[in-house]
Amino acid sequence: MHFIVKLFPEITIKSAPVRKRFTRQLQNNLRSLLKPLDATVKVIRDWEKIDVVSENDDEQVIAKAKDILSCTPGVAFFYEVSAFTYEDMHDIYEKTASIWLDALEGKTFCVRVKRSGDQEFSSIDVEKYVGGGLNQHSKALGVKLKGADVTVKMEIKNQNLYVVREQIAGLGGFPLGTQDPVLSLISGGFDSTVASYLTIKRGLRTHFCFFSLGGRDHEIGCKEVAYYLWHKFGASHQVRFVTVPFEEVVGEILTKVSDANMGVILKRMMLRAATKVAEHQGIQALVTGEAVAQVSSQTLTNLSIIDRVTDTLVMRPLVTMDKGDIIDISRQIGAEEFAANMPEYCGVISRKPTTRAKIDKVESEEQGFDFNILEQAIEKAKVEPIQQVMAVADGDLEVDEFTYLPTDAVLIDIRHPDEIEAAPLQLGVSAETLEIPFYALLKQADELPKRQYLLYCDQGVMSKMHASHLLNGGVGNFGVYRKPSKS
Protein backbone atom coordinates (compact mmCIF):
# COMPACT_ATOMS: atom_id res chain seq x y z
CA MET A 1 0.00 0.00 0.00
CA HIS A 2 1.08 3.55 -0.64
CA PHE A 3 -0.64 6.74 0.49
CA ILE A 4 0.35 10.37 -0.07
CA VAL A 5 -0.91 12.49 2.83
CA LYS A 6 -1.55 16.20 2.24
CA LEU A 7 -1.30 18.69 5.10
CA PHE A 8 -4.19 20.75 6.42
CA PRO A 9 -3.87 24.16 4.64
CA GLU A 10 -3.48 26.16 7.87
CA ILE A 11 -0.28 24.19 8.52
CA THR A 12 1.20 25.20 5.17
CA ILE A 13 0.88 28.95 5.89
CA LYS A 14 2.76 28.74 9.19
CA SER A 15 6.33 29.99 9.47
CA ALA A 16 8.97 27.49 8.39
CA PRO A 17 9.95 26.40 11.94
CA VAL A 18 6.30 25.99 13.03
CA ARG A 19 5.37 24.15 9.83
CA LYS A 20 8.31 21.81 10.32
CA ARG A 21 7.28 21.15 13.95
CA PHE A 22 3.64 20.49 13.01
CA THR A 23 4.62 18.19 10.15
CA ARG A 24 7.03 16.24 12.35
CA GLN A 25 4.30 15.84 14.98
CA LEU A 26 1.88 14.53 12.33
CA GLN A 27 4.54 12.10 11.12
CA ASN A 28 5.07 10.82 14.67
CA ASN A 29 1.33 10.51 15.26
CA LEU A 30 0.77 8.52 12.07
CA ARG A 31 3.70 6.26 12.85
CA SER A 32 2.40 5.47 16.35
CA LEU A 33 -1.09 4.74 14.98
CA LEU A 34 -0.04 2.65 11.97
CA LYS A 35 2.80 0.59 13.44
CA PRO A 36 0.49 -1.65 15.53
CA LEU A 37 -1.48 -2.33 12.35
CA ASP A 38 1.55 -3.03 10.14
CA ALA A 39 5.03 -3.28 11.64
CA THR A 40 6.66 -2.80 8.21
CA VAL A 41 5.01 0.54 7.45
CA LYS A 42 7.23 3.54 6.74
CA VAL A 43 6.07 7.11 7.36
CA ILE A 44 8.27 9.49 5.38
CA ARG A 45 8.04 13.24 5.90
CA ASP A 46 8.50 15.75 3.08
CA TRP A 47 8.07 19.53 3.05
CA GLU A 48 4.58 19.43 1.55
CA LYS A 49 3.39 15.87 2.17
CA ILE A 50 3.89 12.65 4.09
CA ASP A 51 4.27 9.28 2.37
CA VAL A 52 2.89 6.15 4.04
CA VAL A 53 4.45 3.09 2.39
CA SER A 54 4.26 -0.65 3.03
CA GLU A 55 4.59 -3.90 1.10
CA ASN A 56 1.44 -5.14 2.84
CA ASP A 57 -1.46 -5.48 0.37
CA ASP A 58 -3.97 -7.14 2.71
CA GLU A 59 -7.37 -5.56 2.03
CA GLN A 60 -8.40 -5.33 5.68
CA VAL A 61 -5.08 -3.72 6.63
CA ILE A 62 -5.49 -1.18 3.83
CA ALA A 63 -9.08 -0.47 4.89
CA LYS A 64 -8.01 0.11 8.51
CA ALA A 65 -5.11 2.29 7.38
CA LYS A 66 -7.54 4.44 5.39
CA ASP A 67 -9.76 4.78 8.45
CA ILE A 68 -6.79 5.88 10.56
CA LEU A 69 -5.62 8.43 7.99
CA SER A 70 -9.12 9.86 7.54
CA CYS A 71 -9.57 10.31 11.32
CA THR A 72 -6.16 11.76 12.24
CA PRO A 73 -6.09 15.52 12.97
CA GLY A 74 -3.79 17.46 10.63
CA VAL A 75 -4.65 15.56 7.43
CA ALA A 76 -6.48 17.59 4.76
CA PHE A 77 -6.86 14.63 2.39
CA PHE A 78 -4.81 11.73 1.13
CA TYR A 79 -4.29 9.78 -2.06
CA GLU A 80 -4.14 6.04 -2.43
CA VAL A 81 -1.57 5.66 -5.20
CA SER A 82 0.31 3.15 -7.31
CA ALA A 83 3.99 4.03 -7.45
CA PHE A 84 6.22 3.42 -10.48
CA THR A 85 9.45 4.51 -12.07
CA TYR A 86 9.12 5.56 -15.71
CA GLU A 87 11.23 6.01 -18.84
CA ASP A 88 9.30 8.50 -20.98
CA MET A 89 5.83 9.96 -21.52
CA HIS A 90 4.60 6.88 -23.32
CA ASP A 91 5.65 4.77 -20.36
CA ILE A 92 3.73 7.17 -18.11
CA TYR A 93 0.66 6.66 -20.31
CA GLU A 94 0.94 2.86 -20.23
CA LYS A 95 1.27 2.72 -16.47
CA THR A 96 -1.68 5.10 -16.05
CA ALA A 97 -3.76 3.13 -18.53
CA SER A 98 -3.14 -0.10 -16.60
CA ILE A 99 -5.11 1.44 -13.73
CA TRP A 100 -7.67 3.73 -15.37
CA LEU A 101 -8.47 2.43 -18.87
CA ASP A 102 -11.42 0.18 -17.95
CA ALA A 103 -12.72 2.54 -15.24
CA LEU A 104 -13.39 5.31 -17.80
CA GLU A 105 -15.99 3.40 -19.77
CA GLY A 106 -19.12 5.48 -20.31
CA LYS A 107 -17.68 8.54 -18.50
CA THR A 108 -16.15 11.88 -19.33
CA PHE A 109 -12.70 12.53 -17.89
CA CYS A 110 -9.76 14.89 -17.62
CA VAL A 111 -6.12 14.39 -16.62
CA ARG A 112 -4.37 16.52 -14.00
CA VAL A 113 -0.62 16.31 -13.38
CA LYS A 114 1.53 17.78 -10.62
CA ARG A 115 5.22 17.65 -11.51
CA SER A 116 8.48 18.47 -9.76
CA GLY A 117 12.10 17.80 -10.69
CA ASP A 118 14.08 18.08 -13.94
CA GLN A 119 12.20 16.60 -16.90
CA GLU A 120 12.14 17.36 -20.61
CA PHE A 121 8.36 17.75 -20.58
CA SER A 122 5.87 19.98 -18.78
CA SER A 123 2.81 19.01 -16.78
CA ILE A 124 0.57 20.13 -19.65
CA ASP A 125 2.55 17.93 -22.09
CA VAL A 126 1.80 14.88 -19.90
CA GLU A 127 -1.86 15.81 -19.52
CA LYS A 128 -2.28 16.08 -23.30
CA TYR A 129 -0.38 12.89 -24.09
CA VAL A 130 -1.96 10.69 -21.42
CA GLY A 131 -5.41 12.21 -21.96
CA GLY A 132 -5.20 11.62 -25.70
CA GLY A 133 -4.09 8.03 -25.23
CA LEU A 134 -6.84 7.24 -22.73
CA ASN A 135 -9.45 8.88 -24.96
CA GLN A 136 -8.27 6.87 -27.97
CA HIS A 137 -7.97 3.47 -26.34
CA SER A 138 -10.75 3.49 -23.73
CA LYS A 139 -14.55 3.48 -24.06
CA ALA A 140 -14.80 6.87 -22.38
CA LEU A 141 -17.36 9.42 -23.55
CA GLY A 142 -14.53 11.87 -24.11
CA VAL A 143 -12.32 14.49 -22.50
CA LYS A 144 -14.05 17.24 -20.55
CA LEU A 145 -11.78 19.81 -18.93
CA LYS A 146 -14.46 21.24 -16.63
CA GLY A 147 -17.04 19.19 -14.76
CA ALA A 148 -15.72 15.81 -15.89
CA ASP A 149 -17.14 12.63 -14.33
CA VAL A 150 -13.63 11.41 -13.49
CA THR A 151 -10.37 13.25 -12.83
CA VAL A 152 -7.29 11.12 -13.48
CA LYS A 153 -4.61 12.51 -11.17
CA MET A 154 -0.91 11.77 -10.99
CA GLU A 155 2.18 13.23 -9.40
CA ILE A 156 5.64 13.08 -10.96
CA LYS A 157 8.74 13.70 -8.89
CA ASN A 158 12.04 13.20 -10.68
CA GLN A 159 11.81 9.66 -12.10
CA ASN A 160 8.98 8.56 -9.81
CA LEU A 161 5.38 8.37 -10.98
CA TYR A 162 2.44 8.22 -8.57
CA VAL A 163 -0.91 7.40 -10.19
CA VAL A 164 -3.80 8.29 -7.90
CA ARG A 165 -6.35 5.52 -7.44
CA GLU A 166 -8.55 7.32 -4.92
CA GLN A 167 -8.66 10.64 -3.08
CA ILE A 168 -10.06 10.45 0.46
CA ALA A 169 -10.99 13.38 2.71
CA GLY A 170 -9.13 13.83 5.97
CA LEU A 171 -10.21 15.35 9.27
CA GLY A 172 -8.39 18.67 8.89
CA GLY A 173 -7.29 20.58 11.97
CA PHE A 174 -3.90 20.49 13.66
CA PRO A 175 -1.85 17.44 14.63
CA LEU A 176 -2.61 16.25 18.13
CA GLY A 177 0.12 17.34 20.52
CA THR A 178 0.92 20.64 18.81
CA GLN A 179 -1.34 22.49 21.30
CA ASP A 180 -1.63 22.46 25.09
CA PRO A 181 -3.88 19.90 26.84
CA VAL A 182 -7.44 20.66 27.98
CA LEU A 183 -9.95 19.04 30.33
CA SER A 184 -13.39 18.45 28.78
CA LEU A 185 -16.44 18.26 31.04
CA ILE A 186 -18.24 15.40 29.34
CA SER A 187 -21.74 14.06 30.05
CA GLY A 188 -22.17 11.83 27.01
CA GLY A 189 -24.84 13.98 25.33
CA PHE A 190 -24.59 15.63 21.93
CA ASP A 191 -23.05 18.89 23.13
CA SER A 192 -20.14 17.74 25.28
CA THR A 193 -19.33 14.96 22.81
CA VAL A 194 -19.09 17.33 19.84
CA ALA A 195 -17.19 19.93 21.88
CA SER A 196 -14.62 17.28 22.84
CA TYR A 197 -14.30 16.14 19.22
CA LEU A 198 -13.68 19.72 18.05
CA THR A 199 -10.89 20.28 20.55
CA ILE A 200 -9.24 16.99 19.55
CA LYS A 201 -9.52 18.02 15.90
CA ARG A 202 -7.82 21.33 16.67
CA GLY A 203 -4.78 19.50 18.04
CA LEU A 204 -5.65 19.84 21.74
CA ARG A 205 -4.85 16.77 23.80
CA THR A 206 -8.27 16.34 25.40
CA HIS A 207 -8.67 14.70 28.81
CA PHE A 208 -12.15 13.94 30.15
CA CYS A 209 -13.93 14.86 33.40
CA PHE A 210 -17.25 13.18 34.26
CA PHE A 211 -19.49 14.21 37.16
CA SER A 212 -21.28 11.10 38.39
CA LEU A 213 -24.92 11.97 39.08
CA GLY A 214 -26.96 9.03 37.92
CA GLY A 215 -25.59 5.61 38.68
CA ARG A 216 -23.39 3.15 36.87
CA ASP A 217 -25.34 2.92 33.61
CA HIS A 218 -24.79 6.61 32.93
CA GLU A 219 -21.13 6.37 33.90
CA ILE A 220 -20.58 3.42 31.57
CA GLY A 221 -22.35 5.26 28.75
CA CYS A 222 -20.18 8.34 29.24
CA LYS A 223 -17.00 6.28 29.37
CA GLU A 224 -18.02 4.63 26.10
CA VAL A 225 -18.35 8.03 24.44
CA ALA A 226 -14.98 9.23 25.74
CA TYR A 227 -13.24 5.99 24.79
CA TYR A 228 -14.77 6.13 21.29
CA LEU A 229 -13.63 9.74 20.71
CA TRP A 230 -10.13 8.96 21.93
CA HIS A 231 -9.79 5.66 20.06
CA LYS A 232 -11.10 7.05 16.76
CA PHE A 233 -9.60 10.54 16.69
CA GLY A 234 -6.93 10.86 19.38
CA ALA A 235 -5.27 7.50 20.05
CA SER A 236 -1.81 8.82 19.16
CA HIS A 237 -1.65 10.34 22.66
CA GLN A 238 -2.42 9.07 26.14
CA VAL A 239 -5.22 10.85 28.02
CA ARG A 240 -7.03 10.43 31.33
CA PHE A 241 -10.65 9.99 32.36
CA VAL A 242 -11.57 11.57 35.70
CA THR A 243 -14.76 10.58 37.53
CA VAL A 244 -15.94 12.96 40.26
CA PRO A 245 -18.72 11.55 42.54
CA PHE A 246 -21.25 14.37 42.65
CA GLU A 247 -24.33 12.71 44.16
CA GLU A 248 -23.84 14.31 47.59
CA VAL A 249 -23.15 17.71 46.02
CA VAL A 250 -26.45 17.43 44.17
CA GLY A 251 -28.19 16.45 47.41
CA GLU A 252 -26.79 19.53 49.13
CA ILE A 253 -28.01 21.77 46.29
CA LEU A 254 -31.49 20.25 46.38
CA THR A 255 -31.83 20.98 50.11
CA LYS A 256 -30.02 24.32 50.37
CA VAL A 257 -30.65 26.19 47.09
CA SER A 258 -33.81 27.82 45.75
CA ASP A 259 -35.43 26.24 42.71
CA ALA A 260 -34.57 29.14 40.39
CA ASN A 261 -30.82 29.03 41.01
CA MET A 262 -30.22 25.27 41.18
CA GLY A 263 -28.89 24.94 37.61
CA VAL A 264 -26.52 27.90 37.84
CA ILE A 265 -25.12 26.84 41.21
CA LEU A 266 -24.65 23.24 40.03
CA LYS A 267 -22.58 24.53 37.09
CA ARG A 268 -20.55 26.72 39.45
CA MET A 269 -19.82 23.70 41.66
CA MET A 270 -18.76 21.70 38.61
CA LEU A 271 -16.42 24.44 37.44
CA ARG A 272 -14.90 24.70 40.91
CA ALA A 273 -14.28 20.96 40.98
CA ALA A 274 -13.01 20.82 37.38
CA THR A 275 -10.60 23.67 38.13
CA LYS A 276 -9.10 21.69 41.02
CA VAL A 277 -8.87 18.53 38.88
CA ALA A 278 -7.18 20.50 36.09
CA GLU A 279 -4.67 22.01 38.53
CA HIS A 280 -3.80 18.53 39.85
CA GLN A 281 -3.32 17.27 36.29
CA GLY A 282 -1.30 20.27 35.09
CA ILE A 283 -4.00 21.41 32.64
CA GLN A 284 -4.61 25.09 31.92
CA ALA A 285 -8.04 25.13 30.24
CA LEU A 286 -11.52 23.62 30.61
CA VAL A 287 -13.92 22.71 27.81
CA THR A 288 -17.73 22.61 28.01
CA GLY A 289 -20.48 21.92 25.47
CA GLU A 290 -22.51 25.01 26.33
CA ALA A 291 -24.18 27.06 23.58
CA VAL A 292 -25.76 30.47 24.12
CA ALA A 293 -29.43 30.26 25.16
CA GLN A 294 -29.78 26.52 24.52
CA VAL A 295 -31.02 26.03 28.10
CA SER A 296 -31.76 28.42 30.93
CA SER A 297 -28.31 28.19 32.53
CA GLN A 298 -26.65 29.16 29.22
CA THR A 299 -27.81 32.75 28.82
CA LEU A 300 -24.98 35.28 28.71
CA THR A 301 -25.96 36.53 32.17
CA ASN A 302 -25.86 33.06 33.69
CA LEU A 303 -22.68 31.98 31.89
CA SER A 304 -20.96 35.08 33.20
CA ILE A 305 -22.00 34.26 36.76
CA ILE A 306 -20.94 30.62 36.35
CA ASP A 307 -17.47 31.62 35.09
CA ARG A 308 -16.77 33.87 38.10
CA VAL A 309 -15.82 30.90 40.28
CA THR A 310 -12.66 30.15 38.28
CA ASP A 311 -9.68 31.97 36.80
CA THR A 312 -9.02 29.01 34.51
CA LEU A 313 -9.81 29.55 30.83
CA VAL A 314 -13.20 28.04 29.93
CA MET A 315 -13.48 27.14 26.25
CA ARG A 316 -16.92 26.72 24.63
CA PRO A 317 -16.46 25.45 21.05
CA LEU A 318 -20.24 25.32 20.45
CA VAL A 319 -21.09 28.71 21.90
CA THR A 320 -22.89 30.06 18.78
CA MET A 321 -23.89 26.77 17.12
CA ASP A 322 -27.45 25.63 16.47
CA LYS A 323 -28.58 22.34 18.00
CA GLY A 324 -29.27 20.90 14.57
CA ASP A 325 -25.71 21.61 13.44
CA ILE A 326 -24.35 19.99 16.60
CA ILE A 327 -26.40 16.85 15.96
CA ASP A 328 -25.22 16.83 12.33
CA ILE A 329 -21.59 16.79 13.46
CA SER A 330 -22.30 14.01 15.94
CA ARG A 331 -23.81 12.01 13.08
CA GLN A 332 -20.81 12.66 10.82
CA ILE A 333 -18.34 11.41 13.42
CA GLY A 334 -20.38 8.31 14.27
CA ALA A 335 -21.44 9.48 17.73
CA GLU A 336 -25.12 10.35 17.26
CA GLU A 337 -26.35 7.02 18.59
CA PHE A 338 -24.35 7.43 21.80
CA ALA A 339 -26.52 10.36 22.88
CA ALA A 340 -29.69 8.68 21.65
CA ASN A 341 -28.95 5.62 23.81
CA MET A 342 -27.46 7.41 26.82
CA PRO A 343 -29.17 6.17 30.01
CA GLU A 344 -31.33 8.83 31.60
CA TYR A 345 -30.35 10.11 35.02
CA CYS A 346 -31.86 12.32 37.68
CA GLY A 347 -29.92 15.45 38.42
CA VAL A 348 -30.85 18.96 39.43
CA ILE A 349 -34.16 19.67 37.71
CA SER A 350 -35.64 23.10 38.32
CA ARG A 351 -39.30 23.72 37.67
CA LYS A 352 -38.78 27.45 37.09
CA PRO A 353 -35.06 28.08 36.41
CA THR A 354 -33.94 31.67 36.13
CA THR A 355 -32.44 32.98 32.91
CA ARG A 356 -31.06 36.09 34.60
CA ALA A 357 -29.49 35.07 37.88
CA LYS A 358 -28.35 37.77 40.32
CA ILE A 359 -24.77 37.35 41.54
CA ASP A 360 -25.54 38.66 45.02
CA LYS A 361 -28.41 36.19 45.47
CA VAL A 362 -26.35 33.28 44.09
CA GLU A 363 -23.46 34.05 46.42
CA SER A 364 -25.86 34.47 49.33
CA GLU A 365 -27.40 31.04 48.70
CA GLU A 366 -23.95 29.46 48.40
CA GLN A 367 -23.11 30.68 51.91
CA GLY A 368 -25.46 28.01 53.21
CA PHE A 369 -23.78 25.31 51.12
CA ASP A 370 -21.47 22.87 52.94
CA PHE A 371 -18.29 23.18 50.86
CA ASN A 372 -16.73 20.27 52.75
CA ILE A 373 -18.99 18.05 50.64
CA LEU A 374 -17.54 19.55 47.46
CA GLU A 375 -13.99 19.12 48.75
CA GLN A 376 -14.69 15.48 49.63
CA ALA A 377 -16.03 14.86 46.13
CA ILE A 378 -12.85 16.30 44.62
CA GLU A 379 -10.68 14.18 46.94
CA LYS A 380 -12.61 11.04 45.91
CA ALA A 381 -12.16 11.74 42.19
CA LYS A 382 -10.94 8.67 40.33
CA VAL A 383 -8.30 9.19 37.63
CA GLU A 384 -7.92 6.43 35.04
CA PRO A 385 -5.94 6.09 31.80
CA ILE A 386 -8.49 6.13 29.00
CA GLN A 387 -7.43 2.61 27.92
CA GLN A 388 -8.60 1.25 31.28
CA VAL A 389 -12.03 2.87 31.60
CA MET A 390 -13.70 -0.17 30.03
CA ALA A 391 -12.06 -2.61 32.46
CA VAL A 392 -14.27 -4.81 34.64
CA ALA A 393 -14.74 -3.30 38.12
CA ASP A 394 -13.48 -5.02 41.25
CA GLY A 395 -16.09 -7.33 42.76
CA ASP A 396 -17.96 -7.89 39.49
CA LEU A 397 -18.91 -11.42 38.47
CA GLU A 398 -16.35 -13.37 36.48
CA VAL A 399 -17.07 -13.50 32.74
CA ASP A 400 -16.68 -16.76 30.81
CA GLU A 401 -14.55 -16.40 27.68
CA PHE A 402 -14.74 -18.72 24.66
CA THR A 403 -12.57 -19.24 21.60
CA TYR A 404 -15.28 -21.40 20.05
CA LEU A 405 -19.05 -21.08 19.71
CA PRO A 406 -21.00 -23.45 21.99
CA THR A 407 -24.02 -25.19 20.52
CA ASP A 408 -27.11 -22.94 20.52
CA ALA A 409 -25.12 -19.89 21.64
CA VAL A 410 -25.84 -16.58 19.87
CA LEU A 411 -22.95 -14.32 18.92
CA ILE A 412 -23.54 -10.56 19.31
CA ASP A 413 -21.12 -8.33 17.41
CA ILE A 414 -21.10 -5.16 19.53
CA ARG A 415 -18.60 -3.18 17.44
CA HIS A 416 -19.45 0.25 16.02
CA PRO A 417 -21.22 -0.08 12.63
CA ASP A 418 -18.26 1.62 10.93
CA GLU A 419 -15.92 -1.07 12.28
CA ILE A 420 -18.24 -3.85 11.14
CA GLU A 421 -18.44 -2.36 7.64
CA ALA A 422 -14.66 -1.99 7.38
CA ALA A 423 -13.91 -5.50 8.70
CA PRO A 424 -16.92 -7.88 8.67
CA LEU A 425 -16.65 -10.72 11.15
CA GLN A 426 -15.61 -13.96 9.44
CA LEU A 427 -16.21 -16.94 11.71
CA GLY A 428 -15.56 -19.81 9.31
CA VAL A 429 -18.46 -21.72 10.88
CA SER A 430 -22.24 -21.44 10.72
CA ALA A 431 -23.59 -19.56 13.74
CA GLU A 432 -26.52 -17.37 14.71
CA THR A 433 -25.29 -13.80 14.97
CA LEU A 434 -26.72 -10.41 15.88
CA GLU A 435 -25.31 -6.92 15.43
CA ILE A 436 -26.10 -4.67 18.41
CA PRO A 437 -23.67 -1.75 18.85
CA PHE A 438 -22.23 -1.54 22.37
CA TYR A 439 -23.93 1.81 22.98
CA ALA A 440 -27.36 0.22 22.39
CA LEU A 441 -26.73 -3.06 24.22
CA LEU A 442 -27.80 -2.03 27.73
CA LYS A 443 -31.20 -0.90 26.46
CA GLN A 444 -31.82 -3.92 24.25
CA ALA A 445 -30.49 -6.67 26.52
CA ASP A 446 -33.75 -6.95 28.51
CA GLU A 447 -35.69 -7.64 25.32
CA LEU A 448 -33.53 -10.55 24.16
CA PRO A 449 -34.95 -14.10 24.49
CA LYS A 450 -33.41 -16.19 27.24
CA ARG A 451 -30.40 -17.74 25.52
CA GLN A 452 -26.64 -17.92 25.94
CA TYR A 453 -25.06 -14.86 24.33
CA LEU A 454 -21.39 -14.26 23.55
CA LEU A 455 -20.30 -10.69 22.96
CA TYR A 456 -17.58 -9.86 20.43
CA CYS A 457 -15.37 -6.83 19.79
CA ASP A 458 -11.88 -6.50 18.30
CA GLN A 459 -9.90 -6.16 21.52
CA GLY A 460 -12.32 -7.87 23.91
CA VAL A 461 -12.31 -4.85 26.24
CA MET A 462 -15.78 -3.48 25.53
CA SER A 463 -17.36 -6.95 25.31
CA LYS A 464 -15.95 -8.09 28.65
CA MET A 465 -17.05 -4.93 30.46
CA HIS A 466 -20.60 -5.16 29.07
CA ALA A 467 -20.92 -8.89 29.77
CA SER A 468 -19.83 -8.32 33.37
CA HIS A 469 -22.23 -5.40 33.83
CA LEU A 470 -25.16 -7.40 32.44
CA LEU A 471 -24.33 -10.41 34.60
CA ASN A 472 -24.16 -8.26 37.72
CA GLY A 473 -27.54 -6.79 36.83
CA GLY A 474 -29.05 -10.25 36.55
CA VAL A 475 -29.77 -9.79 32.85
CA GLY A 476 -29.41 -13.13 31.04
CA ASN A 477 -26.44 -15.40 30.36
CA PHE A 478 -23.62 -13.40 28.77
CA GLY A 479 -20.03 -14.32 27.97
CA VAL A 480 -17.26 -13.18 25.63
CA TYR A 481 -16.12 -14.63 22.32
CA ARG A 482 -12.50 -14.17 21.30
CA LYS A 483 -11.14 -15.24 17.94
CA PRO A 484 -8.70 -18.16 18.24
CA SER A 485 -5.11 -16.92 17.97
CA LYS A 486 -3.33 -17.75 14.73
CA SER A 487 -0.57 -20.30 15.23
Side-chain angles (χ1 to χ4, degrees):
M1 65 181 179
H2 191 147
F3 300 102
I4 294 177
V5 178
K6 298 295 186 176
L7 308 176
F8 180 56
E10 286 187 42
I11 298 174
T12 65
I13 62 175
K14 299 291 184 184
S15 65
V18 174
R19 176 172 176 170
K20 184 177 181 180
R21 177 169 64 84
F22 278 36
T23 308
R24 184 187 297 113
Q25 183 68 66
L26 179 56
Q27 177 191 27
N28 292 338
N29 293 352
L30 290 176
R31 185 181 289 122
S32 69
L33 292 168
L34 292 167
K35 279 289 185 181
L37 178 64
D38 177 8
T40 68
V41 72
K42 294 180 180 178
V43 183
I44 305 163
R45 173 169 51 91
D46 200 347
W47 177 246
E48 62 178 14
K49 64 181 176 63
I50 292 175
D51 286 271
V52 175
V53 186
S54 171
E55 297 298 323
N56 195 330
D57 289 326
D58 181 89
E59 290 185 3
Q60 287 201 359
V61 171
I62 293 173
K64 288 183 178 180
K66 288 181 180 179
D67 185 56
I68 289 171
L69 292 173
S70 65
C71 295
T72 300
V75 176
F77 62 89
F78 60 97
Y79 296 134
E80 182 181 10
V81 303
S82 291
F84 308 95
T85 57
Y86 68 92
E87 295 180 1
D88 52 29
M89 274 204 296
H90 187 69
D91 194 26
I92 291 174
Y93 158 72
E94 289 186 332
K95 288 180 166 60
T96 305
S98 69
I99 295 170
W100 280 104
L101 203 63
D102 293 339
L104 297 179
E105 182 176 352
K107 300 175 182 176
T108 60
F109 76 96
C110 65
V111 177
R112 294 288 179 257
V113 176
K114 185 175 181 180
R115 182 187 61 83
S116 63
D118 187 15
Q119 294 97 7
E120 295 181 351
F121 49 77
S122 68
S123 296
I124 294 177
D125 292 335
V126 179
E127 290 174 356
K128 289 180 178 179
Y129 190 91
V130 173
L134 292 174
N135 192 41
Q136 181 180 353
H137 295 100
S138 74
K139 295 181 180 180
L141 295 180
V143 175
K144 188 176 181 181
L145 297 182
K146 290 186 177 180
D149 297 325
V150 177
T151 300
V152 177
K153 295 182 179 181
M154 67 188 74
E155 295 194 1
I156 300 170
K157 185 173 184 180
N158 299 319
Q159 290 303 118
N160 297 307
L161 168 66
Y162 306 98
V163 180
V164 177
R165 289 179 172 273
E166 183 181 10
Q167 178 176 330
I168 303 168
L171 196 63
F174 291 147
L176 205 60
T178 57
Q179 312 302 314
D180 292 327
V182 296
L183 181 68
S184 179
L185 280 62
I186 189 164
S187 66
F190 290 110
D191 301 339
S192 62
T193 298
V194 173
S196 301
Y197 159 74
L198 292 175
T199 55
I200 294 171
K201 178 183 175 183
R202 198 61 180 172
L204 297 155
R205 186 175 176 182
T206 303
H207 302 269
F208 302 97
C209 183
F210 169 68
F211 292 94
S212 179
L213 305 176
R216 194 176 176 205
D217 282 0
H218 182 223
E219 182 175 342
I220 288 174
C222 192
K223 285 181 173 180
E224 287 177 343
V225 174
Y227 184 87
Y228 173 82
L229 291 174
W230 168 78
H231 188 260
K232 190 157 185 77
F233 304 108
S236 60
H237 285 68
Q238 304 301 310
V239 302
R240 294 178 289 277
F241 187 97
V242 183
T243 304
V244 184
F246 237 52
E247 294 90 346
E248 292 185 17
V249 174
V250 170
E252 185 73 0
I253 290 174
L254 289 171
T255 57
K256 300 286 182 66
V257 175
S258 67
D259 182 79
N261 288 321
M262 282 183 180
V264 170
I265 290 179
L266 174 63
K267 292 290 184 68
R268 281 165 63 92
M269 296 301 170
M270 287 180 171
L271 272 196
R272 287 183 172 107
T275 298
K276 292 286 188 180
V277 170
E279 288 175 356
H280 293 159
Q281 300 296 322
I283 298 171
Q284 301 178 26
L286 306 176
V287 177
T288 79
E290 291 159 320
V292 168
Q294 190 177 115
V295 296
S296 59
S297 65
Q298 295 174 18
T299 61
L300 289 181
T301 298
N302 288 354
L303 289 174
S304 174
I305 290 176
I306 290 167
D307 281 359
R308 294 192 191 193
V309 299
T310 182
D311 292 327
T312 302
L313 173 65
V314 180
M315 301 172 61
R316 294 184 171 93
L318 314 183
V319 68
T320 61
M321 291 183 65
D322 297 333
K323 189 69 173 186
D325 294 334
I326 296 168
I327 294 173
D328 287 344
I329 294 175
S330 74
R331 184 179 305 119
Q332 292 164 15
I333 65 175
E336 180 184 20
E337 294 299 323
F338 285 101
N341 287 280
M342 188 61 57
E344 296 181 1
Y345 64 95
C346 297
V348 175
I349 302 174
S350 298
R351 292 181 299 277
K352 294 182 179 180
T354 181
T355 58
R356 301 186 67 83
K358 305 294 184 183
I359 184 61
D360 55 345
K361 185 165 185 179
V362 167
E363 290 178 342
S364 173
E365 291 202 42
E366 285 185 345
Q367 289 179 3
F369 186 92
D370 184 355
F371 278 88
N372 287 327
I373 293 175
L374 179 65
E375 291 299 324
Q376 290 169 9
I378 297 170
E379 290 175 4
K380 293 177 183 177
K382 183 178 181 181
V383 182
E384 303 170 89
I386 192 68
Q387 302 96 315
Q388 296 180 16
V389 297
M390 293 291 102
V392 176
D394 292 339
D396 283 352
L397 294 175
E398 191 68 25
V399 177
D400 291 330
E401 299 186 25
F402 297 82
T403 55
Y404 66 95
L405 290 172
T407 305
D408 296 331
V410 179
L411 181 69
I412 303 180
D413 190 338
I414 68 167
R415 292 176 297 166
H416 192 281
D418 291 347
E419 293 182 83
I420 294 176
E421 182 180 355
L425 182 58
Q426 298 176 350
L427 295 173
V429 295
S430 177
E432 185 177 351
T433 61
L434 300 173
E435 293 180 2
I436 304 177
F438 57 87
Y439 48 73
L441 186 62
L442 295 180
K443 279 191 174 182
Q444 296 187 28
D446 281 330
E447 302 172 4
L448 293 172
K450 297 301 181 183
R451 299 275 299 275
Q452 181 184 20
Y453 295 95
L454 301 185
L455 309 183
Y456 171 79
C457 64
D458 279 341
Q459 304 299 322
V461 174
M462 203 77 75
S463 55
K464 189 172 182 179
M465 185 276 295
H466 274 288
S468 176
H469 183 58
L470 290 168
L471 286 173
N472 279 275
V475 181
N477 181 10
F478 288 88
V480 170
Y481 173 74
R482 292 181 180 272
K483 285 183 178 179
S485 58
K486 296 180 180 180
S487 55

